[in-house]
Amino acid sequence: MSLAAVNSRAVVGMDAPQVVVEVLLSSGLPGISIIGLPEAAVREAKDRVRGALISSGYKLPQRRVTINLAPADLPKSGARLDLPIAMGILAASGQIEPESLKRYEWMGELALDGSIRPVRGVLPAALQARDADRILVLPEGNAAEAAYVAGLSLHPVSSLQALVGKLLEGALEPIEIERQESKQKKANGPLPDLSQIRGQAFARRALELTAAGGHNLLMSGPPGTGKTLLASTLPSILPKMSEQEALESATLYSLNDVAFDASSWGKRVVRSPHHTASAAALVGGGSQPRPGEISLAHHGVLFLDELPEFSRQVLEVLREPMESGRITISRARSQMEFPARFQLIAAMNPCPCGYHGDESGECHCTAEQIQRYRSKISGPLLDRIDLQIEVARIPPTLLTGEQSHKVESSHTVQERVEQARNRQLERQGVPNSQLQGEQLELVCKLGDAEKQFVIQAIESLGLSARAYHRVLKVARTIADLADEAVINLDHLSEAIAFRKFDRKT
């Protein structure tokens, strides 16, 4: 009887718990059995491993092979355990030295010809391997992704035969992999620029506040007024991502995709699900839960066009993550939590036909139809949207003529936005949109005149307590953009002007 143990990692939500692959060779009829809550892809590993060992020229033990995946109560899924299982069999059968495997963690899917294919969920495992101070052996196809984890020791491999050859030669040492940042600026075309937008000064101001404070934004207006174009320019003025934010965003994509796109590193993503998307598509799900649209938009933008066309049930699932920045997915066998700190940018028409209040006079919707259309967006959801604006049709003369004055570019606005965001991070450690409780009262402290003004606004407009707090946060962002330490009446007046749709009038 001979025994070998190999270190690997499973993927459970954002976590990558350690899995020890124990391989035991014992007397009995030849065969391979896998225990330890393996799912279908893991149970099939014995056939992939058998084919890879034979194709690579190694002997398959003619004994009973029992493979235990510890801890036994942790479900294992995917093909990432193929490589550690193969290494365990080789070590238990004496074809490699078992002690030589202890410095490493292994992952990779084996093809029948012995080549090693990339797997998903590499970044969480890479972070855990770094913290455990082990060398991560992984497929070459995952090396570019893992290279973004600072301080990680890794060794990419392309085939089982080449891997075992290096191990026997004692040459399986960490390899320095250069980040592919040089390709980042060339990969995708330029983002739409604010200078492309004619008119819409009020909407441009709302976008700047949205970017500076991390706020949510709702735009309403007739078709063709530029709502989608305005939303598409927001990423061009958002603050640059920190290293930690970029790593968190990439980790969520790593859980869903095997392929890694280096050009997307450090870029704030924009997710635009269609209005037919289900609640599960937005929040995530599956028997082994994966991130949904709101998590994939973490540190980025979730753009919902034609907001009332989404089912009310789908929209209501956004309420909790908009407050907490996280989403918990519960299943009978497990509960997983994913981050979801996104900025919601929504666009809608004022009525079913889209032309209510438009100068064209084309709207023939009844008051009941308009009310039914708008009631798809609940009051609690509206309360959570900091900025709510109307986007009017611009005059034809402005659309076809030359600009009367030079319009600021996204680069100029982004500089102001980053300065304002830095003030917020230095003062309270989070963007203004995330201020809560005592911190909100301290940072957004008002004078006597400002308090009286806000009281009058709440009474006359019928603002809720949550809407009042949102007004304070937006006013604080306006003050930060103006580099002013105290919120004054002008800041409050402008902040209240951005709440159009939750008034009793």
Side-chain angles (χ1 to χ4, degrees), residues 10-25:
V11 175
V12 181
M14 293 284 286
D15 194 18
Q18 178 171 313
V19 172
V20 179
V21 179
E22 300 172 332
V23 180
L24 175 68
L25 302 187

Side-chain angles (χ1 to χ4, degrees), residues 307-442:
L307 187 66
E309 298 299 333
F310 286 82
S311 81
R312 181 156 180 159
Q313 178 188 3
V314 170
L315 293 180
E316 291 306 295
V317 303
L318 298 175
R319 287 163 49 180
E320 181 186 345
M322 285 173 70
E323 289 284 347
S324 65
R326 307 194 72 80
I327 183 68
T328 301
I329 302 172
S330 298
R331 294 291 181 267
R333 294 170 56 185
S334 63
Q335 186 180 72
M336 296 184 189
E337 187 177 76
F338 296 106
R341 185 67 69 185
F342 59 91
Q343 283 185 257
L344 174 64
I345 309 299
M348 61 178 285
N349 295 327
C351 67
C353 76
Y355 293 98
H356 178 69
D358 188 43
E359 295 177 356
S360 65
E362 296 179 14
C363 180
H364 300 289
C365 299
T366 65
E368 183 181 354
Q369 288 174 322
I370 296 173
Q371 178 60 30
R372 191 184 308 117
Y373 179 75
R374 294 185 177 180
S375 66
K376 292 182 179 180
I377 307 171
S378 67
L381 180 61
L382 270 178
D383 266 356
R384 289 168 167 82
I385 301 178
D386 309 15
L387 299 143
Q388 307 161 6
I389 65 171
E390 292 178 347
V391 182
R393 190 183 302 278
I394 62 175
T397 53
L398 181 59
L399 183 63
T400 59
E402 294 185 1
Q403 298 271 26
S404 59
H405 61 279
K406 187 176 181 180
V407 180
E408 287 184 317
S409 68
S410 291
H411 177 71
T412 302
V413 176
Q414 186 185 43
E415 289 181 344
R416 278 202 307 270
V417 165
E418 289 192 333
Q419 291 171 4
R421 182 66 68 90
N422 290 336
R423 294 185 188 105
Q424 298 164 37
L425 298 179
E426 291 172 4
R427 182 178 59 232
Q428 72 245 6
V430 295
N432 289 333
S433 61
Q434 298 178 31
L435 287 171
Q436 300 288 341
E438 294 182 359
Q439 191 181 40
L440 174 63
E441 294 180 4
L442 180 63

Side-chain angles (χ1 to χ4, degrees), residues 149-162:
V149 178
L152 172 68
S153 299
L154 64 97
H155 189 105
V157 290
S158 59
S159 69
L160 182 62
Q161 188 176 46

Side-chain angles (χ1 to χ4, degrees), residues 176-195:
E176 191 74 26
I177 305 295
E178 185 178 352
R179 286 187 176 190
Q180 298 181 8
E181 292 175 300
S182 58
K183 300 179 181 178
Q184 179 174 328
K185 297 179 181 179
K186 303 176 183 178
N188 298 323
L191 294 170
D193 196 277
L194 273 177
S195 60

